[in-house]
Amino acid sequence: MNAHVRMILNGLFVVFLFLLLFSYAMFQGGFVSWFLFFGFIPIFCYQIGFLLHPIKNWKVTRKFSRSVVGAGESVSVTITIRRKLAFPLYYCICEEVIPSSLRKLDNKNDKYRYMDNPDKLTISRTLKKVIFPAFRREFSFTYQLEHVPRGEHYLNAVRIRTGDFFGLVKKEHVFQLADVLVVYPNARPMVFKEQIISFEQGATTSSALQLNNTNVATGIREYMPGDRFSWIDWKQTARKNTVMTKEFEQEKSTDILLVLDGCSDEHLNDVTFEGMVEVTFSLMEHVKKQSTQIGLLTVGASTVYFPIHHDPLKSDMVRQHLTRMKPGGNQSFSLQMQRERMKIASGSVILIITSHIDNNFNEMAKKVNQRSKRVIVLLIQSPKEMSLNQHYIHQLQFEGIRIHVLSQQQLMKNPIEVKGK
């Protein structure tokens, strides 16, 4: 019902009560009837004043304790209401209109125990607070948003309801407040149980996730964010009057491209996809601390490519992209990768993070393997799904493609343990 129509009907109802009591006092007469009439006059004046008191002119603001947090953390939100007139109010019911993106829980590592039953992490957040403002012109309330999921959450409205002492007149207004809560994916430590990445020369293997600076320096370059203090070449720094760092063999020999499967699939659920995003971001952050160059290719509703090169701004762009990313697309991951594989630089190590493998995936992986130095598959599935895919896993191993399986048991550990199959 329109707010103006509701206000008119409430006003007519109050006037009707006033006229009814006046008529009763006129026709009945006597002390009791006139006492009821004059006793109702203060109530009648209050009801008229309440009807004329415009709550839509109130100023409502929202403030986050932190507007940028990590997945699974909590945020304190304060709603403040200011009004110009100190008109007495009996109560106010303030309600945050929660977007659908916040109707899920992120229990950090513990969420992966529900990989086979993700509906248990879906909740109905109801954030209401009853306030008794009386004559106060400014009042506020604070609530906690706990276990917030990854993503950008747009909180756009606050609903306020109020009424008189007797419940004869009620008012409601929705205040439009546009605020954004950004929840980044978590970067978790990872441990590889075996060496997985090859050097450019020879057949010797070396884990690029466990590099150190004990090798012989092959050159120098300008300092870049993320370089270790121990790498600084002080002689060249003094000679060139700019900070120079040593360049090691690994910096030239191990280029890694992460490929994230962001395509919709009937077997893909929210918890599994969160695991894929979290593993991808963790790998990016882990490798960034080493002397290895890394790029990212995400395939889904749209294809986004972050090339392999040192770029101080790339890390923030990758984190923002992974924060917003959702599964989508009308075509399978294997089909889209057939078109995107030409973007892959020859000689790079390709890490594919996916949750589904089949014959088409294996054919695509073999073609990518022909163009790259090495292909490694990180398969994120529950134990039940893995038991159904043993045939495809053996096919990949037969083609010389390494596959590392991450189940809910590995994802619940800290650090994440990556084991080969």
Side-chain angles (χ1 to χ4, degrees), residues 160-204:
I160 295 181
R161 301 185 183 95
T162 186
D164 63 332
F165 294 98
F166 305 98
L168 301 176
V169 181
K170 296 181 180 179
K171 285 187 173 185
E172 177 182 325
H173 188 74
V174 177
F175 294 88
Q176 301 299 324
L177 300 176
D179 290 295
V180 182
L181 176 63
V182 180
V183 184
Y184 287 143
N186 288 321
R188 298 172 56 192
M190 303 187 72
V191 175
F192 283 78
K193 291 300 183 180
E194 60 180 87
Q195 297 173 331
I196 63 173
I197 296 174
S198 300
F199 267 78
E200 196 167 347
Q201 296 87 7
T204 306

Side-chain angles (χ1 to χ4, degrees), residues 275-313:
M276 294 166 59
V277 173
E278 194 169 275
V279 167
T280 302
F281 186 61
S282 299
L283 282 170
M284 293 289 294
E285 291 296 301
H286 194 115
V287 175
K288 185 179 66 174
K289 299 176 182 178
Q290 314 297 326
S291 58
T292 304
Q293 299 194 72
I294 187 167
L296 175 65
L297 174 66
T298 61
V299 180
S302 61
T303 301
V304 180
Y305 179 52
F306 297 92
I308 300 175
H309 63 277
H310 286 295
D311 187 351
L313 299 178

Side-chain angles (χ1 to χ4, degrees), residues 1 6 18 70 101 134 181 268 281 347 357 368-369 381 400 414:
M1 184 184 297
R6 188 190 303 114
F18 178 79
S101 61
L181 176 63
L268 180 65
F281 186 61
I357 58 175
V368 174
N369 193 32
Q381 287 184 339
N414 199 28

Side-chain angles (χ1 to χ4, degrees), residues 199-201 212-221 231 233 236 245-254 291:
F199 267 78
E200 196 167 347
Q201 296 87 7
N212 53 56
N213 61 344
T214 59
N215 290 333
V216 177
T218 58
I220 59 171
R221 58 173 173 79
W231 295 349
D233 190 323
Q236 295 297 328
T245 60
K246 300 174 184 177
E247 190 174 30
F248 299 97
E249 183 181 3
Q250 293 97 324
E251 292 182 298
K252 295 183 176 181
S253 60
T254 53
S291 58

